[in-house]
Structures are given as structure tokens and as C-alpha cells.
Amino acid sequence: MMTKVLIAEDEPLMRERLLAMLATSWPQAQVVLVAENGNDAWDGFLEHEPEVAFLDIRMPGLSGLEVAERIGKLAHIVFVTAYDQYAVDAFDAGAVDYLLKPVEADRLARAVGRIREKLSARPADLSDIVRHLKSALPGARRENMKWI
Amino acid sequence: MWRAIVNWYREWDAEQLRVLAEPGYAPHTPPGYRRAMATRLARLSDIEREQLREFALKYRGWRMIGAIATFAAMFTLAGAMFHLAVPSIRWVAAIGALNVIGFSTVLAVTTVWFNYRRRSDCSPQRSRGMMLVVIGVSLALVGFLIKFQHLTLNEAFFDTFPGGMLIGAAGAAIFAGIPLRLIVAMRNRQHEARTLQLQQGAERDRLARELSESQLRLLRAQIEPHFLFNTLGAVQQLAEKDAPRAAELTASLITFLRASLSEMRSDQATLKKEFALVEAYLNVMKARLGERLRFTLDLPESLAGLAVPSMIVLTLAENAIKHGIEPSLRGGDVAVRARRRDGVVSIEVEDSGIGLGIAPGVGLGLDNARNRLLLAHGAAASVTLHEAANGVVAEIIIPTETAT
């Protein structure tokens, strides 16, 4: 049985890479949408109702965290991030998985294994973790520019 | 009794040293003469207190007694020689007079040495007036003595104790009064030189700190995960499907890293180097963002040699990408240009991203760039940020008289 997957990532090469790697490590995944920004990701989620969403945290429009907040318990979420110690700590504590960019094949395979185990269960409630992350990540907060 | 005196002295000594080290302690000393003394010490300038403390630590307890004994021995020896040279003056008068002169001079020199600021704070008129009084009194005393000696040549007035004291006072006035003014002047010059030295040291420290801060920030920017890892991820992807483009992106990354490392080592860079650095950076970002980023660079040949604080244009370009283009759904254009207008050089970084109002995140690095620009080119130079027709313009202004 195929699993519907959504990918949201703003950099074209990173998008391609994740797509190509996913095809290798998870042939049963059916990528229903590759979104270039948070807004498209959320619209696409409503349209396609995927079971798994790979979300970049820093994206134009809605951030990955904001999309995750809206998705709530409707899908399993894997965050994709370049690096953030706060995020890593939080993910370690939570039920959700994360991938560090550039994504490595064996790490992706492990994440896929974990997702497949959980697919039968209900998606985790991420609201607490997302709230924590949104306060911990300065880049994810909307603020007026103060640089001058 | 003796023990009580020793204890009192030790306590007072420790208290004074503490006040010299931390003047804020003065109000906590016991009221009376001790607090009065402590308050006086606390009022000295930092440099005076520091010197006085060093002196006090050096001549503590037995060393002070030793020093006094040495002086007394020297003055006594001089008195004895004085008696041998002028036999009409008795031993005791000569030795007494020389000791009085000697110790008052030492005392006066020491007092002035550590109190010169207060003395020099007198107005010039008053200070000149006091000088005249000192000279006048000294001359009058000398004249009086010569006349007196002439009149009482055989009466051996100087053999008497008051006579000896009179010589002592006259000597102190002549040998101490005038040189003390010179000491004050010399010490003041020393003080000013030291103050200047301290100020320059502090300024140098500040600049060095600022420089290392910008270096650190740059280092962070380079190893910033969102830049380096994303770029390496892009290289990895290209390597598999488009090797020539992978090589191109790697070359841009190498150029960027090499140029920024070389600029990092110097405080100033030419606009030519700076534009090359910005171009390498934008090439890397273009490879990553694809269609979402377009950019142009325009540097007239006449401005290529202009020196600017290193990394300053790059900072503006990074801000334009981070706060303008990356958060924008449709991406945008970045235009970097330098030109001469109205007697200034203007360097602009314009982006047609999301504009100023709704940019996420707080940018850093520009305060530092601005401080370095002001240091290098004065208050007429500026870094400003304003909204333009289709985006944001960050502009560096350098007045041409300081532009070399």
C-alpha cells in the first residue's frame, strides 16, 4: 500500500535531493506534492491529505513550524533543518523526527523506518513541541526589522 | 601601651590601603580623623591613588622607619660637614638645621608628589601669585639673614637654637618652595601623558575588540549552518545530476571563502575586492535559490580602488538575501552599485524582496559595520536603510574628502 507524502522545501536543489533520496529509501512513498513554500504546503495538504509531511523549518510564507501547527494531529511530521541546537534538543525530547540538511541516506532510511512503524498509530500531538520551538527559534518569529 | 599603638597603626594602615584600592570604602571608615583622611584619599584621581598605593606598599612598617633613619643619617652627616666648613656654627645647631631643612624638603616633596593635581588646579593667576610670594619671602629671608649675620657676626647668633631654625626655614623656603613648583609642573605633565596613554590604550582595546567581533561574526556567518550546510547540500545534489554546475558552485564557494578569509585579516578593503566577494556570495545564493534570485553588480572603474571597511558591502548583501529575498514567495532582484554623486560616494544594495515591514527575524552585524565606517570616515559617513519603489535600499555614504 502506498503512503501519501508531502515535501515542502524552498531551495530547488534540496527539493530534488530529498525527492531522489526518498525514492530510493522508501519506494512505497507516493509524493503527492512538492511545495516551494509554506503557503503552498498548507494548501496542498488540505487538497491531498497526505499521511506524512517533510517540512523545512525556514521557508517563505508560512514557516515549517506554522504549517506543522496547522496540520496538528492530521499527519506525521518530519522536520528538515540545516541545524539548530534548540530544535535538535526539542526533537530529541519529542515524538517527532527530524532530518539535518544535507540529508544523509542512512539517516533518512532510519527516519523512514520509524515513520512506517508509527503509521498504524495516530500521529503524535506536536502542539507543545511546536509552541516551544516557535519561542526558541528567533528566525521563526515574525518581528519588525531592527537592524538599523 | 606599645601594643595598642602598633595595633592602631596597623589597622589605620590597612584601612588607608583599602581606600586607595577602592575609594567607595571611605564612607565606611570610623568617623573622625580617620574618615576625614580616608575622604581626602578617596578624592584623589585614579592615577594618584594607584601611585600612592604603590608607594605605601613599598614603604610599609620597618622599611618606612629604615628610610627615615637613612635620611636622618644623611642630614646629620651633612650637618657635621656644615659645622666643619663653618666652624663658628656649633655641632648641634648645624645638625639640627640640616635635619629641619632636609625633612621639610622631603615632606614637602612627598606631599606635592602625591597631591599635585590639587595644587595645579589653582587658577594660573593665583598660582603665579603664590610663586611670587614664595620667591619674595625667600629673598627677604636671605637678605635679612645676610644683614643679620653681618651685624651679629661675632655674637654667634647662629649658635643658638632659634638661629639654626631660622636658617632651616630660609633654606626650606629657597630649596623647597621653588623646586616644588617645578615638581608640580613635571608631575602634571607625567599625569597628562599617563592619562593620554590610558585613553589611547582603551581606544585601541575597543577597536581591537570591535575588529575581533566582526571577525567572529564573519566566522559565524561562514560556518552558519543555513549557509554552509545548505550550500554543501546543493553541491551534493548537483554532483549527482549536473557535474559541471557542481564544479561551478564549488568554485564560487571557494572564491567566497577565500575572499572573506583574506578580507577578514584586514580592516579595510578596496571596493573592487569587496564587490568580488559580494559577487561570489551572490553566485552561491543564485545556485541555491535558482529562479528566485536575480542580481546585478555595477562598479565604475574610477571607484575600484576606494577603501571601505572590509565586509561592509557583503553585510548589506547578506541582509538583503536573508531579510528580503529568502522570505519572499516570488523571490526578487538584488542590485549592488557604487557611484559618485553630490560630492559623496554612494554604495547601494537594493532588493525587491518582501520590504521592511514584515521581515521575520532580527538582523545583526550592521551596527558593527556602521561603527567601523564612522571610525574610518567620520560622522559625515552613514549607513541607512529605506524603502524604495519596489523593495528596500541599503545605502552607504562616504564623503569624498575622506575617500581615498
Side-chain angles (χ1 to χ4, degrees):
Chain A
M1 192 189 122
M2 299 294 270
T3 306
K4 286 197 281 182
V5 172
L6 177 150
I7 292 176
E9 161 68 59
D10 65 329
E11 293 193 18
L13 290 167
M14 295 302 237
R15 257 190 328 258
E16 281 174 30
R17 177 132 194 96
L18 195 54
L19 204 55
M21 290 175 81
L22 209 55
T24 317
S25 53
W26 195 6
Q28 294 83 4
Q30 179 201 353
V31 179
V32 290
L33 179 77
V34 182
E36 298 179 15
N37 58 61
N39 299 3
D40 288 356
W42 175 236
D43 293 345
F45 180 83
L46 292 178
E47 190 184 332
H48 300 283
E49 295 180 352
E51 294 146 87
V52 181
F54 287 86
L55 302 175
D56 183 11
I57 289 187
R58 272 175 56 168
M59 280 189 296
L62 294 172
S63 74
L65 296 175
E66 285 163 330
V67 176
E69 200 171 36
R70 293 185 183 196
I71 292 176
K73 289 191 216 171
L74 298 174
H76 296 276
I77 287 166
V78 178
F79 284 116
V80 185
T81 170
Y83 170 87
D84 197 298
Q85 195 51 53
Y86 292 116
V88 171
D89 288 349
F91 294 142
D92 277 343
V96 67
D97 212 341
Y98 67 92
L99 292 171
L100 283 182
K101 288 195 277 188
V103 179
E104 290 159 51
D106 54 345
R107 183 67 188 80
L108 178 63
R110 226 172 344 133
V112 167
R114 240 180 267 176
I115 296 166
R116 295 178 69 170
E117 270 172 36
K118 283 187 186 158
L119 270 176
S120 50
R122 280 180 52 198
D125 181 1
L126 298 185
S127 53
D128 283 348
I129 295 166
V130 166
R131 237 196 322 281
H132 173 74
L133 286 175
K134 286 180 82 175
S135 62
L137 290 171
R141 231 177 10 228
R142 280 181 178 264
E143 272 179 23
N144 288 334
M145 201 137 46
K146 290 176 191 161
W147 27 298
I148 289 211
Chain B
M1 174 66 188
W2 174 243
R3 181 139 295 274
I5 291 173
V6 168
N7 281 342
W8 163 83
Y9 176 75
R10 286 208 176 128
E11 200 181 311
W12 194 26
D13 190 45
E15 180 182 293
Q16 288 189 320
L17 282 174
R18 180 159 175 195
V19 171
L20 286 175
E22 38 172 325
Y25 183 66
H28 304 289
T29 51
Y33 67 96
R34 278 165 69 165
R35 179 163 311 166
M37 194 73 188
T39 313
R40 276 182 69 118
L41 291 179
R43 266 206 295 268
L44 294 174
S45 74
D46 289 347
I47 297 173
E48 283 171 309
R49 265 202 316 276
E50 184 193 306
Q51 289 173 340
L52 191 56
R53 183 157 184 274
E54 274 169 24
F55 177 82
L57 281 175
K58 197 166 170 190
Y59 291 100
R60 253 186 125 165
W62 289 110
R63 298 200 56 171
M64 176 64 111
I65 294 169
I68 291 173
T70 313
F71 274 122
M74 271 165 52
F75 297 143
T76 306
L77 194 66
M81 283 163 75
F82 188 43
H83 164 75
L84 293 178
V86 189
S88 63
I89 297 174
R90 274 196 317 177
W91 283 103
V92 66
I95 290 171
L98 260 295
N99 270 293
V100 170
I101 294 174
F103 275 110
S104 28
T105 309
V106 169
L107 193 66
V109 167
T110 318
T111 316
V112 165
W113 191 261
F114 292 108
N115 260 313
Y116 58 97
R117 294 296 288 174
R118 220 156 50 79
R119 266 159 233 289
S120 68
D121 281 346
C122 297
S123 68
Q125 287 88 348
R126 200 173 144 210
S127 153
R128 246 200 311 277
M130 276 170 65
M131 183 103 155
L132 283 175
V133 170
V134 169
I135 293 172
V137 168
S138 311
L139 287 178
L141 264 170
V142 172
F144 171 76
L145 278 172
I146 289 168
K147 183 137 176 76
F148 198 70
Q149 194 182 26
H150 181 68
L151 283 176
T152 62
L153 199 58
N154 300 317
E155 293 183 19
F157 171 77
F158 295 107
D159 277 3
T160 65
F161 191 66
M165 294 301 272
L166 202 57
I167 293 182
I174 295 166
F175 294 109
I178 298 167
L180 286 185
R181 289 304 311 174
L182 298 177
I183 289 176
V184 167
M186 185 196 81
R187 291 280 291 160
N188 271 323
R189 262 208 301 281
Q190 262 184 11
H191 188 271
E192 271 150 28
R194 177 95 181 108
T195 311
L196 196 68
Q197 203 185 0
L198 287 177
Q199 275 170 356
Q200 283 169 344
E203 177 70 9
R204 239 194 333 271
D205 285 354
R206 200 176 66 79
L207 282 176
R209 211 166 39 240
E210 204 124 280
L211 191 64
S212 66
E213 252 170 41
S214 62
Q215 288 174 345
L216 205 67
R217 192 165 289 132
L218 174 73
L219 213 60
R220 258 207 316 266
Q222 275 164 11
I223 57 171
E224 198 208 340
H226 291 290
F227 180 73
L228 206 53
F229 282 129
N230 281 329
T231 305
L232 289 174
V235 170
Q236 206 176 26
Q237 174 60 15
L238 281 176
E240 275 180 19
K241 63 154 219 184
D242 191 348
R245 271 182 68 206
E248 219 173 275
L249 176 55
T250 313
S252 295
L253 182 62
I254 290 171
T255 309
F256 172 74
L257 289 177
R258 186 163 288 152
S260 50
L261 283 175
S262 114
E263 281 207 21
M264 205 173 92
R265 288 192 208 99
S266 54
D267 197 40
Q268 301 267 307
T270 61
L271 266 188
K272 191 187 168 112
K273 280 182 99 175
E274 190 70 17
F275 268 61
L277 178 63
V278 170
E279 187 172 13
Y281 170 73
L282 290 174
N283 272 330
V284 169
M285 290 315 293
K286 167 81 184 156
R288 280 173 42 191
L289 296 176
E291 292 307 307
R292 283 173 56 215
L293 171 65
R294 296 162 296 276
F295 69 89
T296 55
L297 289 130
D298 179 17
L299 175 65
E301 194 51 44
S302 63
L303 289 175
L306 177 74
V308 294
S310 53
M311 321 293 295
I312 196 166
V313 188
L314 179 69
T315 307
L316 299 188
E318 283 173 339
N319 276 335
I321 294 288
K322 214 165 151 186
H323 302 288
I325 306 297
E326 272 190 322
S328 161
L329 290 171
R330 60 187 163 79
D333 297 83
V334 173
V336 186
R337 55 182 168 261
R339 63 203 152 113
R340 229 178 255 281
R341 62 161 172 82
D342 312 332
V344 299
V345 173
S346 148
I347 304 154
E348 285 183 339
V349 177
E350 181 174 3
D351 76 76
S352 61
I354 55 165
L356 278 179
I358 53 161
V362 180
L364 291 167
L366 222 62
D367 271 351
N368 179 282
R370 172 190 280 150
N371 287 344
R372 288 165 62 219
L373 185 74
L374 294 186
L375 275 171
H377 297 283
S382 65
V383 182
T384 54
L385 192 67
H386 51 90
E387 214 132 3
N390 58 347
V392 173
V393 176
E395 186 177 27
I396 301 167
I397 297 273
I398 297 176
T400 26
E401 58 267 29
T402 64
T404 46

